[in-house]
Amino acid sequence: MKISLLCFTERGFQTEKKLTEILRTEAHTACPYVMGKYALQAASMDHSVSFSPVREGGLSTWTGERFEDSDAILFIGACGIAVRALAPHIRDKRTDPAVLVADESGKYMIPILSGHLGGANGLAAMLAERLGAEAIITTATDVNRKFAVDVFAKEHGLIIDSMKLAKEISAEILAGSLVGVFSDFPLGSRIPAELSRDTICGRNLRITVWKKEKEEKDRMLKLIPRCVALGIGCRRGTSKEKIREMYSQFLEENRLDPRSVWAVASIDLKSGEPGLCEFTKELGVPFLTYTAEELKEAPGAYEESEFVRSTTGVGNVCERAAVLACMEGAKKACVLVKKHAACGVTLAAACFYPELFA
């Protein structure tokens, strides 16, 4: 994580130094800033840590900039200062950075924004333990030690389809109600007591890469694992626009959620194909390629094409490439949708199994 720190007093600077050292030993990128006459004086005389000054009157601008370039912001000072600086920049809990406040003496560590999805609660707990401080956690599920769907989603890289339903599920759990959990992937044995496997309740979770059914809309919160790799092949010179069109059609026809796609894969012969490279860049996912020999080693049974073998050296590119891509992140992968060819573009989908409640 990239974490920006800001102090306002001489004593706060001493705490900022300690926190910067802790963060760096935990492999975070710590960026210390200093604001205020006495903090600047103390920092300018101390050569043990490099810092950046924030000039008087620039706090709101500084905070806005840190919202754009930092994963977390840590104020060392009064909560009131932090709240006033944050107010104009708060947008959405799914995108806002984690924000914490520590008092200048380092006695308390308080997460005040993006406690779960942004990781502020976990960061506060770690820093408090290392600093010898007390973490002040106010999130209801944490206080009551209950299952929190947003924490679970963050820990497992799941996309929350509806924050409204996620909030309702937390309310159900805090009220003592069970929540049903359904999954297209194997669930481990460590399912929390607040969840009931394969049981329809007032509110429910479904872990899936498929598009939601209409009847699930009001009661079923969809959690989407990013575990699908697309194998793509195309004729030489196929445009980005045509690949995008066939991609959208493939997902729609097979009811695959586009948010589940984490990578595109193909044979190395296509590594420099302009349309395919441009499309992958537009999609914002890695483009992984494999040699014919590597593709032949992909486990599983595949429908082979002699024409494809004669031109590439392997009888099935898309399915094999998608499976190999998924095996880079997990031991087990399988073909989700077999290859489909149209308009000079061939697509297939594979997935790996996320570890859930293991």
Side-chain angles (χ1 to χ4, degrees):
M1 293 176 73
K2 179 182 177 182
I3 303 168
S4 295
L5 304 90
L6 178 61
C7 67
F8 305 91
T9 65
E10 180 179 359
R11 194 173 185 186
F13 175 67
Q14 300 306 319
T15 298
E16 182 176 74
K17 281 174 54 181
K18 294 176 185 176
L19 290 167
T20 297
E21 183 179 349
I22 292 168
L23 289 169
R24 288 174 177 169
T25 59
E26 292 291 330
H28 295 295
T29 301
C31 304
Y33 292 81
V34 175
M35 182 175 182
K37 176 181 177 181
Y38 297 108
L40 283 165
Q41 285 179 352
S44 63
M45 293 166 45
D46 190 319
H47 302 293
S48 63
V49 61
S50 176
F51 70 94
S52 300
V54 178
R55 301 304 176 188
E56 296 291 341
L59 180 57
S60 180
T61 299
W62 179 87
T63 305
E65 291 171 349
R66 300 297 77 78
F67 256 63
E68 298 302 323
D69 68 13
S70 300
D71 300 303
I73 303 171
L74 174 51
F75 293 91
I76 297 119
C79 281
I81 295 174
V83 170
R84 287 185 174 87
L86 295 169
H89 308 290
I90 296 172
R91 296 187 297 266
D92 189 299
K93 68 190 298 181
R94 286 173 288 192
T95 57
D96 291 338
V99 180
L100 302 87
V101 174
D103 65 291
E104 65 171 28
S105 63
K107 289 181 63 178
Y108 303 106
M109 192 65 57
I110 311 166
I112 61 173
L113 192 67
S114 296
H116 284 167
L117 290 180
N121 287 6
L123 187 58
M126 183 276 288
L127 289 173
E129 181 180 0
R130 293 289 305 276
L131 192 63
E134 181 180 356
I136 308 297
I137 310 294
T138 59
T139 315
T141 48
D142 292 86
V143 170
N144 292 280
R145 298 189 177 186
K146 298 287 187 179
F147 171 80
V149 66
D150 47 359
V151 173
F152 174 71
K154 179 177 175 61
E155 290 176 346
H156 293 83
L158 308 175
I159 298 168
I160 298 175
D161 187 55
S162 167
M163 293 306 299
K164 178 178 179 291
L165 264 177
K167 184 176 180 180
E168 291 175 4
I169 283 174
S170 291
E172 293 270 323
I173 287 173
L174 289 168
S177 300
L178 281 175
V179 169
V181 58
F182 303 82
S183 178
D184 294 338
F185 304 95
L187 296 179
S189 59
R190 300 173 63 184
I191 295 178
E194 297 88 349
L195 304 182
S196 181
R197 188 199 300 253
D198 298 330
T199 304
I200 288 289
C201 301
R203 294 288 184 274
N204 307 276
L205 303 174
R206 183 182 175 200
I207 303 164
T208 182
V209 298
W210 308 108
K211 289 188 176 179
K212 185 181 288 186
E213 300 294 336
K214 291 181 180 179
E215 61 269 18
E216 295 179 346
K217 185 175 180 181
D218 297 326
R219 300 177 62 194
M220 188 80 72
L221 173 62
K222 179 179 167 185
L223 300 178
I224 307 138
R226 297 191 75 229
C227 63
V228 174
L230 292 180
I232 303 182
C234 63
R235 288 199 199 107
R236 184 177 301 172
T238 304
S239 68
K240 172 187 71 176
E241 291 74 20
K242 178 54 68 176
I243 296 172
R244 187 200 304 128
E245 179 187 347
M246 293 300 100
Y247 158 83
S248 298
Q249 183 177 311
F250 177 79
L251 294 185
E252 186 64 32
E253 289 179 352
N254 293 288
R255 299 192 57 77
L256 270 173
D257 193 308
R259 292 170 292 181
S260 68
V261 177
W262 75 273
V264 165
S266 192
I267 193 167
D268 62 349
L269 297 173
K270 294 296 179 182
S271 61
E273 184 68 38
L276 189 50
C277 293
E278 290 170 15
F279 167 74
T280 305
K281 185 176 180 180
E282 180 182 275
L283 206 60
V285 300
F287 181 27
L288 308 175
T289 60
Y290 304 93
T291 66
E293 292 305 313
E294 288 173 325
L295 292 172
K296 289 176 184 177
E297 297 300 315
Y302 303 93
E303 182 182 335
E304 304 288 328
S305 163
E306 287 304 319
F307 173 76
V308 173
R309 192 192 312 277
S310 67
T311 56
T312 67
V314 60
N316 184 311
V317 169
C318 290
E319 293 175 16
R320 290 177 179 273
V323 166
L324 284 183
C326 288
M327 290 185 68
E328 291 196 13
K331 293 180 180 178
K332 186 173 183 180
C334 66
V335 174
L336 205 59
V337 182
K338 289 185 176 293
K339 65 178 180 178
H340 172 78
C343 301
V345 180
T346 305
L347 294 107
C351 74
F352 63 83
Y353 290 174
E355 292 188 2
L356 305 167
F357 305 116

